[in-house]
Amino acid sequence: MTLSEPARIVGHMDHSAQAHGIIPAYLLARLAQSGRFTKAADAARQTLLAGRPQFRARLNLSIDEHGDLVAELTDAPNRTISDAGGTETLPGAVVRTEDDGPVDDASVNQAFDGLGATFELLLSAFQRNSLDGLGAPLNATVHYGTDYDNAFWDGERMVFGDGDGEVFRGFTGSVTVIGHELAHGVIQHTANLEYQGQPGALNESIADVFGALTEQYAEGQAADQASWLIGAGIFTDEVQGVALRSMIEPGTAYDDDELGKDPQPAHMSDFVRTTEDNGGVHVNSGIPNRAFALAARALGGNAWERAGTVWYRALSDGLSPTATFREFADATVDAASREYGEEVTAAVRDAWTTVGVLDAEGNRRTG
Amino acid sequence: MPKEIDAPDDRATADEDDLLVVAVVRTGGIAGLRRRWRVETPRPEAHDWLVLIDRCPWNAPAEHDAGADRYVWSIQVRMPSEERERELADSELRGAWRDLVDAVRDADAARTTKPGDPASRE
């Protein structure tokens, strides 16, 4: 079960107090028997009756302007971090759950916090309760493999390697990477874009959008303050590069003697046709990435509020699993028109035109 | 897709017919970086490589990984008599395939590593 709207109760309290935390099971049981907080008692009883899948909620206590105690129940994440211990066997041993405090392993805590930051973005910006909108648990495995230079989504969980220490540091070190992996779970539960060619590059691009927004939301950065980098700090100092990708200037994230130059195109005229990388899904994602960053910067303010909402609606309101760049561009223009009106619609259309997916008249173009 | 088993342009190719060449190309992953490793061995000294190559299930049905950001591997072999190529999902890289890929990466690193050489990162 899930709380679509925060459940709110008010009672009187003599002195000011404020608290914030996840409701542990014993408190839910106490709350269920409460005669004072009847609405919260109902919610708590339902929670206990619902059993599995486990329901998590957050209890926020504050004092309003009348001196009354206000208790709010809101959706909360349900995170479990496992440790593969350098093997490639999943899921590994559970090392931190939602009820546990920080442990003596930075990768575990980084994964835990990054999943939490992504959960907050989804809930606050898009009113989405976790991956499926129904409070799905967030599961991650760290320390996967030996010198493993990757992070991936296996269809059920996020998996993070430690990097080889020469090219890559550990992959939990970047909240944009964590948000990116979790976004693949959101995409799987919405349009389920196939992981090949243009729909695959859209899948990658939308994951980058959510990754960037997770960082911007957590840091309180407006669109013009954001770096628009994905995976900043993931490379070691030996590598000549700042990040894995730049959304605002695709193709400029690295230029290294050994790794070569960032191959991302910034315009449809440079679309790369290849059989590698599932048809270049990590290469051609530069084109829709730039469209998002341009739209967000043109609109100003917080990118998750208008541009982000438009992209989220386009993803989750009936987009085809085989959508092309053009079809997704049309879906964002439609969503902008539905949700906001002409200013936002024009900014979105202009962005897609700049990257060559829509033509200057706003008509469709082959792509 | 570039044929990694082909010799770089700046090499003599006169004795190509006497060589066994194995190339490994890794693409995908969240970074989308293309990495490649290559080994070539004179045919008379290639026995150990042939054993590794023949142990791999070249004709097994291809698998496909669920999810996203998985590596995609391409294994290419050229022998005097034939060429073979197989694409592997990251989860298929186990057993005989893993042994072959690890051997190619180790041999490539041994060939290219010099003090201060950036290739030593591989």
Side-chain angles (χ1 to χ4, degrees):
Chain A
M1 66 171 284
T2 180
L3 295 163
S4 52
E5 294 293 326
R8 199 163 187 274
I9 54 170
V10 178
H12 190 71
M13 207 171 160
D14 292 331
H15 49 274
S16 85
Q18 192 158 26
H20 176 90
I22 309 298
I23 304 184
Y26 74 87
L27 182 53
L28 269 179
R30 288 272 294 276
L31 210 52
Q33 295 163 12
S34 169
R36 262 176 82 203
F37 301 129
T38 54
K39 214 169 160 184
D42 281 346
R45 276 194 293 274
Q46 284 181 41
T47 301
L48 292 167
L49 285 172
R52 291 189 180 129
Q54 195 180 13
F55 168 75
R56 315 283 318 191
R58 225 176 339 219
L59 179 63
N60 299 316
L61 298 174
S62 58
I63 303 297
D64 70 10
E65 65 273 22
H66 307 298
D68 288 331
L69 171 67
V70 178
E72 281 188 320
L73 277 179
T74 56
D75 294 317
N78 181 10
R79 292 163 284 185
T80 302
I81 313 297
S82 301
D83 185 344
T87 71
E88 295 187 7
T89 303
L90 292 173
V94 172
V95 287
R96 186 174 175 189
T97 71
E98 194 62 54
D99 296 323
D100 301 327
V103 297
D104 193 20
D105 181 332
S107 299
V108 172
N109 298 330
Q110 286 169 340
F112 188 89
D113 293 344
L115 295 187
T118 314
F119 182 92
E120 295 303 331
L121 170 79
L122 294 173
L123 186 64
S124 301
F126 311 137
Q127 294 77 52
R128 185 180 185 86
N129 182 10
S130 191
L131 306 180
D132 59 352
L134 299 168
L138 302 177
N139 297 319
T141 293
V142 299
H143 303 310
Y144 178 84
T146 304
D147 295 338
Y148 197 78
D149 279 341
N150 198 18
F152 62 88
W153 165 253
D154 81 345
E156 296 174 8
R157 64 175 49 243
M158 287 133 278
V159 182
F160 300 95
D162 291 330
D164 56 48
E166 292 184 318
V167 175
F168 288 108
R169 304 179 202 275
F171 282 77
T172 52
S174 166
V175 75
T176 53
V177 167
I178 297 173
H180 174 107
E181 294 311 331
L182 214 154
H184 281 304
V186 175
I187 295 164
Q188 183 174 305
H189 283 287
T190 51
N192 198 20
L193 288 160
E194 70 174 37
Y195 205 64
Q196 183 72 37
Q198 283 200 22
L202 280 175
N203 193 321
E204 273 304 308
S205 173
I206 294 165
D208 278 353
V209 166
F210 282 29
L213 291 181
T214 297
E215 180 176 74
Q216 290 172 29
Y217 182 79
E219 302 289 325
Q221 290 173 339
D224 60 348
Q225 300 168 313
S227 71
W228 296 103
L229 297 173
I230 301 299
I234 287 292
F235 285 132
T236 65
D237 294 340
E238 287 183 57
V239 176
Q240 296 146 302
V242 293
L244 303 178
R245 289 182 278 282
S246 166
M247 296 182 68
I248 193 72
E249 294 292 346
T252 65
Y254 58 89
D255 188 355
D256 181 80
D257 297 339
E258 181 63 22
L259 302 178
K261 184 179 179 302
D262 177 357
Q264 284 213 307
H267 191 277
M268 206 59 199
S269 57
D270 297 317
F271 186 92
V272 175
R273 298 187 187 284
T274 173
T275 58
E276 295 181 344
D277 183 28
N278 299 108
V281 297
H282 293 90
V283 177
N284 291 314
S285 58
I287 297 166
N289 273 0
R290 182 154 189 252
F292 180 81
L294 289 173
R297 278 209 179 164
L299 289 167
N302 296 322
W304 61 87
E305 287 176 358
R306 293 190 290 176
T309 299
V310 165
W311 253 244
Y312 174 70
R313 294 282 171 232
L315 169 72
S316 55
D317 289 349
L319 186 72
S320 163
T322 58
T324 61
F325 287 5
R326 190 190 69 209
E327 288 167 352
F328 183 69
D330 288 340
T332 60
V333 171
D334 290 347
S337 174
R338 247 185 358 256
E339 300 273 331
Y340 297 105
E342 191 41 41
E343 183 203 356
V344 177
T345 307
V348 169
R349 189 185 284 125
D350 286 352
W352 287 112
T353 303
T354 302
V355 301
V357 173
L358 298 179
D359 76 16
E361 285 75 43
N363 293 324
R364 295 162 188 193
R365 173 178 173 141
T366 55
Chain B
M1 186 187 318
K3 281 279 187 189
E4 294 299 335
I5 53 174
D6 291 339
D9 293 339
D10 57 350
R11 291 191 62 255
T13 56
D15 58 353
E16 280 284 295
D17 285 349
D18 297 327
L19 291 175
L20 170 77
V21 184
V22 187
V24 172
V25 180
R26 189 187 76 192
T27 60
I30 187 178
L33 284 172
R34 184 177 197 275
R35 306 302 298 273
R36 57 193 162 71
W37 299 271
R38 186 177 189 279
V39 65
E40 53 183 53
T41 308
R43 181 68 180 77
E45 298 163 26
H47 176 263
D48 290 351
W49 287 104
L50 289 170
V51 170
L52 281 173
I53 291 163
D54 285 339
R55 283 179 52 220
C56 293
W58 290 89
N59 297 316
E63 292 176 25
H64 182 76
D65 283 331
D69 294 326
R70 302 302 302 265
Y71 285 138
V72 181
W73 298 82
S74 171
I75 318 296
Q76 302 164 22
V77 172
R78 186 175 64 206
M79 295 177 270
S81 54
E82 66 169 309
E83 287 190 12
R84 295 185 193 180
E85 184 167 350
R86 177 72 150 69
E87 196 162 276
L88 296 180
D90 199 37
S91 60
E92 287 183 90
L93 192 72
R94 54 183 186 260
W97 287 120
R98 183 60 172 262
D99 294 341
L100 176 62
V101 167
D102 285 351
V104 173
R105 291 177 67 165
D106 289 347
D108 188 298
R111 179 175 61 85
T112 56
T113 301
K114 297 189 288 284
D117 183 343
S120 64
R121 289 194 208 130
E122 296 196 46

